[in-house]
């Protein structure tokens, strides 16, 4: 896997490591674009904490900011970085499947 893809995957994994960030992503996936205030109303997280988490999610490329009505910024989910992380995991699984299958065969004898 190219180093830039590995870096993207690493940023995604860091972003997904926090349950609050996963909740924000799930809320955006379920409800579509939302402001930090909208998300704070739906989640047990303060608006300030959401803004902080959104910054890290944006850095990982998982959300993008877009102008909303009355100068409010709405955040939209981006799937491209998640797809890169999935490709990374798929490649890792392929690399492990062969040796693990061989081990199972060996232990079954």
């Amino acid at each position: 896997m190219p180093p830039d893809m590995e870096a993207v995957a690493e940023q995604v994994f860091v972003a997904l490591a926090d349950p609050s960030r996963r909740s924000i992503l799930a809320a955006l996936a379920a409800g579509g674009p939302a402001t930090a205030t909208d998300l704070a109303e739906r989640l047990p997280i303060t608006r300030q904490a959401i803004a902080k988490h959104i910054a890290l999610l944006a850095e990982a490329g998982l959300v993008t900011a877009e102008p909303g009505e009355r100068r409010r910024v709405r955040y939209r989910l981006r799937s491209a970085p998640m797809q890169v992380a999935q490709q990374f995991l798929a490649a890792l699984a392929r690399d492990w499947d062969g040796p693990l299958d061989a081990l199972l065969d060996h232990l079954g004898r």
Side-chain angles (χ1 to χ4, degrees):
M1 176 168 284
D4 56 328
M5 288 180 70
E6 199 165 315
V8 170
E10 181 178 349
Q11 284 186 313
V12 169
F13 297 139
V14 167
L16 294 177
D18 185 275
S20 295
R21 289 191 287 272
R22 291 193 305 270
S23 295
I24 292 168
L25 291 174
L28 290 173
T35 65
T37 301
D38 295 336
L39 291 167
E41 290 171 0
R42 289 190 254 170
L43 299 169
I45 309 169
T46 66
R47 194 191 71 70
Q48 292 81 4
I50 286 176
K52 202 170 171 183
H53 288 300
I54 286 282
L56 196 142
L57 292 169
E59 187 177 312
L62 292 168
V63 297
T64 185
E66 57 187 34
E69 67 271 357
R70 291 185 257 156
R71 298 187 330 186
R72 293 176 64 187
V73 176
R74 298 177 67 80
Y75 299 97
R76 177 181 300 276
L77 199 57
R78 289 191 65 241
S79 64
M82 192 72 72
Q83 291 169 355
V84 171
Q86 287 174 326
Q87 290 170 354
F88 177 85
L89 290 173
L92 187 61
R94 279 190 308 273
D95 291 347
W96 278 55
D97 285 346
L100 288 177
D101 288 343
L103 178 61
L104 285 173
D105 288 344
H106 176 73
L107 293 175
R109 289 184 204 157

